[in-house]
């Protein structure tokens, strides 16, 4: 079944590449990259936002999150960083480190890809999680006197794999593939990091209060999504009126609160 | 074994579209696609020679796959080990052409020296058609390999230092036998255990020349834990390392 669809997909894309027959039929989807024009960042275009609105809300977690996975007992002495707990929750259930974003928005305020850093320190990635616009330059530096590598996956397809054997030697990588990029180290398997490479500037990462604000949104109807590295993704429709505000509150449930098993 | 209707339909439409391809609308960065006749010829070659291991759908699950180690490549992900292109990028056609023509040493992938250049080119196009990435993503740009300096006792000694400072021993072991401290925990992108290369077997899977060894450091092997060292070591260090590894490989 699947491969037939693949072939049809290829056909469809071939049809797009040959242009005239399909002009105006479709905008080709987010992954078709340069097919939709010579824009700077994938399919996203900058347009003037008139009477832009905003989306706000809060992300929370119901139920008791599982304890963080313990580190292996046998590990080099310099690996002193504590285990990463993906569930950063306060006493009210506010969930931090959730990435909230508008799905499938292809035009709006200016996207400014900047610079970001990722360091390997005491056998841990610092920061553990960040969200950046597509086209951002990521500087990856090993601060440990042992070898690490940065092996990145978007879903289950690799994005890159760089050896970082030399302490304090930086390297730069332009993040040119959108997606929730999980980076690990093959030598110290417990080291994980998330670099969310966002195809539009309309995203926010929740802080300790679980709240988020996304501003300067062209008025219209959208799908708002929240993604969490251990809890998966949820979506909700949201309407942004001119100069208005859409409010969406997301609630994740842990397995102890009766949620389906993620992934 | 006959072609399925989707492919025939696809061929028909692509042919119809190809007739219009000379119009000056093609964008500079558009990704070239093989023509329908090439794909059809490639399909015939594939079904004759490749299908029993790599599977009807190119997912590496052909009838014989269960008996093979390493497993046949799953083409649907667009992830290929042996490339001339940087880490995480798609290979160029020539890379796959070379893999098929030369085979992979010490694996079940034979040399397909009996196939013509035309058959190989068409089956490369067909193999690529299993992954949507070849439609959406640009190919990687092949890396440059500078000329190899002569091997000397000094370059071999310097290469031994590189083997330490670049951490090769973590996986490949102090003697290059593929038995480093991290070796047992390694998995490929499909989650299957994978062995680091044992240099004492004497011959890389992907080629017997020094350039082939150099290329593996600088491109990494997509789909495996072997990373790219392109941003970590200089070409001089890499050639020194090649010379040192040759001494391990010569012990066979």
């Amino acid at each position: 079944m699947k491969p037939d669809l693949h072939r049809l997909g290829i056909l469809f894309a071939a049809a797009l590449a040959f242009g005239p027959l399909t002009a105006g039929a479709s905008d080709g989807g987010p992954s078709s990259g340069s097919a939709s024009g010579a824009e700077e960042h994938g399919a996203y275009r900058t347009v003037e936002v008139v009477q832009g609105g905003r989306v706000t809300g809060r992300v929370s977690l119901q139920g008791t999150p599982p304890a963080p996975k313990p580190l292996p007992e046998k590990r080099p002495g310099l690996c002193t960083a504590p285990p990463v707990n993906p569930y950063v929750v306060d006493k009210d259930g506010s969930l931090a480190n959730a990435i909230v974003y508008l799905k499938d928005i292809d035009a709006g305020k200016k996207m400014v890809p900047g610079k970001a850093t990722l360091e390997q320190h005491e056998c841990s990635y610092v920061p553990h999680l960040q969200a950046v616009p597509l086209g951002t330059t990521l500087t990856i530096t090993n601060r440990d006197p042992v070898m690490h590598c940065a092996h990145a996956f978007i879903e289950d397809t690799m994005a890159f794999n760089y050896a970082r054997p030399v302490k304090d030697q930086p390297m730069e990588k332009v993040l040119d593939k959108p997606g929730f990029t999980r980076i690990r180290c093959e030598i110290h398997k417990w080291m994980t990091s998330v670099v969310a490479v966002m195809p539009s500037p309309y995203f926010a990462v929740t802080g300790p209060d679980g709240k988020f604000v996304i501003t300067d949104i062209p008025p219209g109807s959208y799908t708002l999504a929240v993604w969490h590295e251990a809890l998966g993704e949820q979506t909700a429709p949201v309407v942004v009126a001119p100069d208005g505000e859409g409010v969406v509150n997301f609630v994740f449930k842990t397995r102890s609160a009766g949620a389906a098993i993620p992934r | 074994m006959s072609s399925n209707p989707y492919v025939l339909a696809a061929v028909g439409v692509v042919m119809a579209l190809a007739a219009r391809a000379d119009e000056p609308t093609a964008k500079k960065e558009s990704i070239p696609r093989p023509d329908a006749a090439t794909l059809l010829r490639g399909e015939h070659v594939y079904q004759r020679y490749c299908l029993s291991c790599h599977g009807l759908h190119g997912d590496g699950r052909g009838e014989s796959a269960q008996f093979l180690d390493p497993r046949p490549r799953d083409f649907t992900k667009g992830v290929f080990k042996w490339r001339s292109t940087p880490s995480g990028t798609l290979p160029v056609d020539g890379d796959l052409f070379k893999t098929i023509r030369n085979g992979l040493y010490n694996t079940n992938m034979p040399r397909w020296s009996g196939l013509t250049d035309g058959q190989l080119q068409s089956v490369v196009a067909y193999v690529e058609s299993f992954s949507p990435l070849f439609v959406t993503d640009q190919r990687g740009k092949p890396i440059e390999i500078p000329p190899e300096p002569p091997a000397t006792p000094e370059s071999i000694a310097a290469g031994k230092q590189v083997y330490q400072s670049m951490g090769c021993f973590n996986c490949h072991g102090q003697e290059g036998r593929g038995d480093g401290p991290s070796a047992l925990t390694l998995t490929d992108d499909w989650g299957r255990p994978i062995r680091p290369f044992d240099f004492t077997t004497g011959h890389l899977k992907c080629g017997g020349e020094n350039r082939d060894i150099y290329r593996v450091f600088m491109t990494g092997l997509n789909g495996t834990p072997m990373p790219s060292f392109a941003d970590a070591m200089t070409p001089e260090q890499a050639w020194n390392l090649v010379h040192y590894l040759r001494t391990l490989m010569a012990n066979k």
Side-chain angles (χ1 to χ4, degrees):
Chain A
M1 270 313 190
K2 256 189 179 169
D4 294 343
L5 289 177
H6 277 157
R7 292 209 186 98
L8 287 179
I10 285 160
L11 211 213
F12 176 64
L16 280 181
F18 289 118
L21 275 187
T22 53
S26 159
D27 53 11
S31 62
S32 56
S34 59
S36 60
E39 287 301 327
E40 306 150 65
H41 318 296
Y44 188 81
R45 290 173 298 122
T46 303
V47 295
E48 194 189 345
V49 179
V50 182
Q51 289 190 301
R54 44 198 252 147
V55 174
T56 63
R58 175 172 172 264
V59 183
S60 57
L61 180 69
Q62 267 182 22
T64 314
K69 242 181 163 178
L71 298 178
E73 280 176 19
K74 271 195 196 169
R75 58 183 201 277
L78 60 101
C79 294
T80 52
V84 169
N85 184 359
Y87 304 94
V88 184
V89 189
D90 74 1
K91 60 183 186 334
D92 303 322
S94 307
L95 182 66
N97 281 357
I99 297 164
V100 183
Y101 66 104
L102 289 180
K103 265 195 146 127
D104 303 333
I105 181 167
D106 58 4
K109 68 179 173 186
K110 193 167 164 50
M111 179 150 72
V112 191
K115 290 187 179 299
T117 61
L118 184 62
E119 298 197 344
Q120 294 158 321
H121 186 51
E122 296 172 349
C123 303
S124 179
Y125 277 106
V126 183
H128 171 65
L129 179 142
Q130 56 188 321
V132 298
L134 184 64
T136 292
T137 302
L138 184 68
T139 303
I140 308 173
T141 315
N142 179 2
R143 299 295 182 196
D144 291 335
V146 297
M147 179 184 182
H148 293 301
C149 69
H151 196 175
F153 292 84
I154 297 176
E155 291 182 4
D156 59 353
T157 301
M158 78 164 287
F160 55 81
N161 184 8
Y162 297 116
R164 304 278 67 222
V166 181
K167 186 173 187 282
D168 296 332
Q169 179 194 53
M171 67 156 287
E172 291 191 341
K173 163 71 183 165
V174 176
L175 300 170
D176 52 5
K177 292 179 189 171
F180 297 102
T181 310
R182 294 177 192 262
I183 304 180
R184 66 188 195 203
C185 170
E186 293 293 347
I187 297 158
H188 311 95
K189 288 272 191 180
W190 61 91
M191 292 173 61
T192 59
S193 173
V194 174
V195 180
V197 183
M198 307 305 291
S200 92
Y202 293 106
F203 63 87
V205 182
T206 59
D209 59 359
K211 289 185 179 164
F212 62 88
V213 181
I214 301 175
T215 60
D216 293 324
I217 306 168
S221 300
Y222 298 98
T223 302
L224 187 70
V226 59
W227 183 91
H228 182 272
E229 62 172 309
L231 294 161
E233 184 166 279
Q234 290 184 15
T235 59
V238 63
V239 176
V240 179
D243 294 319
E245 176 170 313
V247 179
V248 177
N249 293 316
F250 287 107
V251 180
F252 280 108
K253 288 179 180 172
T254 62
R255 248 178 268 178
S256 64
I261 297 168
R263 303 190 75 187
Chain B
M1 194 65 73
S2 68
S3 302
N4 69 45
Y6 289 104
V7 175
L8 286 180
V11 164
V13 179
V14 171
M15 276 176 161
L17 289 167
R20 312 179 58 126
D22 54 350
E23 291 183 18
T25 49
K27 295 222 169 70
K28 243 188 264 167
E29 286 195 42
S30 68
I31 295 165
R33 299 298 311 147
D35 63 75
T38 303
L39 279 178
L40 197 58
R41 193 164 62 221
E43 184 181 11
H44 289 156
V45 176
Y46 185 89
Q47 294 192 344
R48 176 78 175 81
Y49 300 110
C50 316
L51 180 144
S52 63
C53 295
H54 292 282
L56 181 62
H57 305 307
D59 54 7
R61 294 168 182 235
E63 273 181 63
S64 315
Q66 57 188 314
F67 306 113
L68 307 182
D69 179 24
R71 288 296 180 98
R73 180 97 319 208
D74 167 4
F75 301 129
T76 61
K77 275 197 176 189
V79 170
F80 291 89
K81 288 182 190 172
W82 328 113
R83 308 169 329 280
S84 58
T85 59
S87 178
T89 60
L90 293 174
V92 295
D93 290 351
D95 295 335
L96 303 186
F97 186 100
K98 183 182 162 194
T99 298
I100 301 171
R101 164 130 308 159
N102 295 344
L104 296 172
Y105 189 84
N106 209 9
T107 78
N108 293 84
M109 176 71 180
R111 298 171 75 92
W112 293 97
S113 44
L115 297 182
T116 65
D117 284 4
Q119 282 177 310
L120 284 175
Q121 280 156 6
S122 61
V123 82
V124 165
Y126 187 73
V127 162
E128 290 172 354
S129 76
F130 286 117
S131 166
L133 284 180
F134 284 93
V135 177
T136 57
D137 285 19
Q138 295 286 347
R139 307 298 178 95
K141 185 169 174 274
I143 64 163
E144 281 183 28
I145 301 182
E148 179 182 352
T152 61
E154 291 74 34
S155 74
I156 292 169
K160 190 169 185 179
Q161 293 295 317
V162 174
Y163 192 83
Q164 292 303 318
S165 65
M166 291 295 148
C168 310
F169 63 90
N170 277 299
C171 298
H172 295 284
Q174 289 293 359
E175 295 171 345
R177 293 180 185 277
D179 57 357
S182 295
L184 285 178
T185 63
L186 300 176
T187 53
D188 68 11
D189 284 14
W190 289 260
R192 296 185 293 245
I194 188 170
R195 289 184 302 267
F197 183 62
D198 175 354
F199 288 98
T200 64
T201 59
H203 197 300
L204 252 56
K205 292 189 183 70
C206 61
E209 294 178 32
N210 285 359
R211 290 166 62 83
D212 296 316
I213 309 177
Y214 181 102
R215 191 184 303 109
V216 171
F217 311 148
M218 298 311 215
T219 62
L221 299 177
N222 287 359
T224 81
M226 174 68 189
S228 159
F229 288 78
D231 297 274
M233 66 181 160
T234 63
E236 188 193 354
Q237 285 178 310
W239 278 124
N240 290 340
L241 183 54
V242 170
H243 295 158
Y244 172 62
L245 293 177
R246 275 293 180 202
T247 66
L248 302 180
M249 296 166 79
N251 287 341
K252 168 100 178 173

